Amino acid sequence: MPDLTPDRPAPAAPVPFTYEQDWFHTKTRTDAWAHKNVRLGFEILGDLDTDALLTAVRAFVTRHDALHLQLPADPGPDPEQRLRPIGATEQVVECQKVAAASPEQFNRYVSAILSRDCVAPWRYGEQRPFAIRLLRYDAGRHALIATFQNLVFDGRAHHLFAHEVWRDYEAVRRGDPVPDRAPSFAEAAARQRAGTTPAQRERALADWRERLGRLARTRWPSSPDRTPAGEGTREPAAEGGMLRAELDARTTAALRAACAQARLGLLQWTVGSFVHALASRTGRTEVGLWTSMDSRPPRDRDVVGMFAASCPLVVADPAGDPDAVRGRVRAGLLNALKHQRLTAAEITAVTREAEAQHGAPVGRDIYVNLRRFEGDHASVRDTGALRITADAYELRRIAVTDLHALHLRCTEYRDRLLIGLRYDGLRVGGATARAVLDDVLAAAAAQAAEPAG
């Protein structure tokens, strides 16, 4: 074991799982979810100061204690996680000079390594929950790739890594100090668990029981349904696909201002508009969703760790007045966060109750991922000396299987709203998905065009 960092000794007591960690660990342990690590990949062109980058990455890993967590070599259903701080001489970044015949070959090699790391299982009890590599082609071309065990790293943590590492790189280059402390995941996890009283748990159980029961009654049809409402021709059988859309800075700003007047968040508005469009196009009288969103309280916004909450939501009268639908979605999302207080065992138990009572499985036919980041969207960062491209390396030879009929992904930046809609091609065809997304975009344009006040 490496030397412990003296100013952050490992505590004697184990760190409690967050509710979100408990749910994720249970699902992956029972093979209900496939194992996949969180990945980042940056293409770096220009005169890179390697020492400054290594210093910035090490500072991030050292100050965020979620990346110090260790589980037993053979984690059971109730493992204990403990902190083992980064040692003073411990290497956290693996550096490699790649002898590639061309930049294209170098990029293919980087993609292959990132793909391998993305699906590699973690050796609990001996391996850190991350793998970070700096690959060099020549003085003007590098790749920084990283994978993190999802048990300790979620979408918010992904954003914090990208923001803080490049911020600190510039600080090191200027000769400025970088932060050596960060909000503690161990403390945030302890606060989350300690903040749940028996009465709150009982109310959460009752709320989940009601929502899961409604979800069991609103199953999406298992047979193909490829005729969008209002169209007279059926779609031919087809494979699934992904549709993407983007609201530019001007539209996003105008829509956000309109949402603020209605006391709606931009993501709440988008999900409500999606539900309304889906019901209008398919004739559904109720729409059941599973949502994944950041459950951090405001004080823990900068905590790296696992706080990606998964919860059900059922919307009644979804084809009614669109503003009312958006209001019901907002209330449902806030209520779901309020009752994010159950262990995986408790959620499993109430799920089985609902399925036995209604004689139908609780499915995840419609799934929604919500992510909100501070700052502007920038896939390419140009500092003058460096050109840094995020998400530059695609996965190779890895098939991504989506079990949902529809999977909506919404990512909000200060100057952009990114929307992705994946459809399975069987329960929901491409024309239906396209019509739903077009309706959401039309509603956004109309809402943004309305005069203020």
Side-chain angles (χ1 to χ4, degrees):
M1 179 182 294
D3 296 334
L4 298 181
T5 303
D7 61 351
R8 182 173 276 178
V15 177
F17 268 17
T18 62
Y19 292 119
E20 297 79 11
Q21 278 188 301
D22 184 44
W23 179 246
F24 179 84
H25 175 71
T26 299
K27 284 294 189 179
T28 52
R29 181 176 177 273
T30 59
D31 295 326
W33 289 350
H35 173 84
K36 186 177 68 172
N37 303 312
V38 179
R39 73 182 191 276
L40 298 95
F42 298 94
E43 179 187 62
I44 308 168
L45 303 180
D47 185 16
L48 175 68
D49 185 333
T50 302
D51 289 340
L53 181 56
L54 294 178
T55 298
V57 173
R58 181 177 183 83
F60 180 90
V61 171
T62 301
R63 67 176 174 258
H64 287 291
D65 60 356
L67 302 181
H68 307 170
L69 289 168
Q70 297 282 291
L71 268 69
D74 183 19
D78 300 303
E80 290 187 342
Q81 58 181 355
R82 297 177 182 272
L83 293 176
R84 179 167 65 89
I86 304 298
T89 61
E90 184 176 351
Q91 180 178 333
V92 299
V93 181
E94 180 179 323
C95 299
Q96 179 184 358
K97 173 68 171 72
V98 179
S102 66
E104 292 74 23
Q105 187 183 67
F106 173 76
N107 289 345
R108 288 194 297 271
Y109 178 81
V110 175
S111 290
I113 297 299
L114 184 60
S115 301
R116 183 197 66 187
D117 288 349
C118 182
V119 297
W122 293 96
R123 299 188 306 276
Y124 290 114
E126 57 178 292
Q127 185 187 22
R128 292 294 188 184
F130 59 86
I132 307 174
R133 307 179 191 277
L134 180 61
L135 308 177
R136 181 179 189 270
Y137 172 71
D138 60 21
R141 181 180 294 269
H142 294 78
L144 177 67
I145 59 175
T147 52
F148 298 87
Q149 164 62 276
N150 211 169
L151 187 68
V152 301
F153 209 82
D154 60 9
R156 173 66 182 170
H158 180 290
H159 173 71
L160 290 170
F161 179 91
H163 169 70
E164 293 184 10
V165 164
W166 293 113
R167 176 202 67 190
D168 292 351
Y169 171 82
E170 297 294 343
V172 172
R173 292 274 292 165
R174 294 191 303 269
D176 296 338
V178 299
D180 59 2
R181 293 282 181 175
S184 168
F185 173 79
E187 294 173 6
R191 282 195 300 269
Q192 185 199 59
R193 287 303 187 111
T196 300
T197 66
Q200 289 171 326
R201 175 165 280 109
E202 286 304 313
R203 287 195 293 270
L205 281 167
D207 180 77
W208 273 80
R209 190 173 288 114
E210 189 272 336
R211 281 187 279 138
L212 289 167
R214 292 182 64 191
L215 196 62
R217 299 194 306 267
T218 58
R219 291 276 297 176
W220 192 263
S222 58
S223 58
D225 179 10
R226 288 186 263 274
T227 306
E231 297 186 13
T233 59
R234 295 185 65 83
E235 290 183 64
E239 295 183 355
M242 170 68 89
L243 304 173
R244 302 183 188 277
E246 178 179 313
L247 300 188
D248 61 19
R250 181 176 180 180
T251 304
T252 299
L255 181 57
R256 185 179 287 117
C259 289
Q261 291 185 353
R263 303 187 66 181
L264 287 170
L266 183 58
L267 294 178
Q268 295 167 348
W269 184 96
T270 306
V271 177
S273 299
F274 166 75
V275 167
H276 182 267
L278 180 61
S280 300
R281 289 286 177 175
T282 62
R284 302 287 292 177
T285 58
E286 283 190 308
V287 171
L289 312 169
W290 272 90
T291 61
S292 178
M293 53 190 170
D294 183 8
S295 61
R296 289 169 175 77
R299 69 174 292 178
D300 294 330
R301 290 296 296 162
D302 291 334
V303 174
V304 165
M306 176 46 149
F307 290 100
S310 180
C311 50
L313 175 67
V314 179
V315 183
D317 191 21
D321 176 71
D323 288 332
V325 173
R326 294 170 191 134
R328 286 194 287 274
V329 165
R330 175 185 182 274
L333 291 174
L334 294 177
N335 182 66
L337 282 176
K338 176 183 177 182
H339 293 295
Q340 189 67 22
R341 300 174 180 273
L342 300 184
T343 64
E346 290 168 328
I347 294 173
T348 299
V350 294
T351 299
R352 290 173 177 168
E353 286 179 23
E355 292 177 338
Q357 180 181 357
H358 298 283
V362 173
R364 293 176 175 242
D365 303 299
I366 313 297
Y367 202 82
V368 175
N369 284 103
L370 304 177
R371 299 171 68 185
R372 181 179 181 275
F373 299 140
E374 298 87 1
D376 293 343
H377 174 261
S379 58
V380 178
R381 175 188 176 96
D382 196 337
T383 67
L386 292 180
R387 182 177 176 84
I388 305 162
T389 303
D391 300 322
Y393 304 102
E394 296 183 356
L395 297 182
R396 296 170 59 86
R397 299 181 180 179
I398 295 178
V400 178
T401 302
D402 203 325
L403 302 178
H404 315 294
L406 280 174
H407 188 168
L408 177 70
R409 295 175 177 268
C410 301
T411 307
E412 178 187 356
Y413 294 89
R414 181 170 56 193
D415 68 335
R416 207 74 51 92
L417 177 65
L418 307 180
I419 303 174
L421 183 59
R422 184 181 294 277
Y423 57 94
D424 70 350
L426 296 174
R427 290 166 292 175
V428 177
T432 299
R434 179 77 264 175
V436 169
L437 182 56
D438 285 346
D439 287 351
V440 173
L441 298 177
Q447 187 82 69
E450 289 186 5

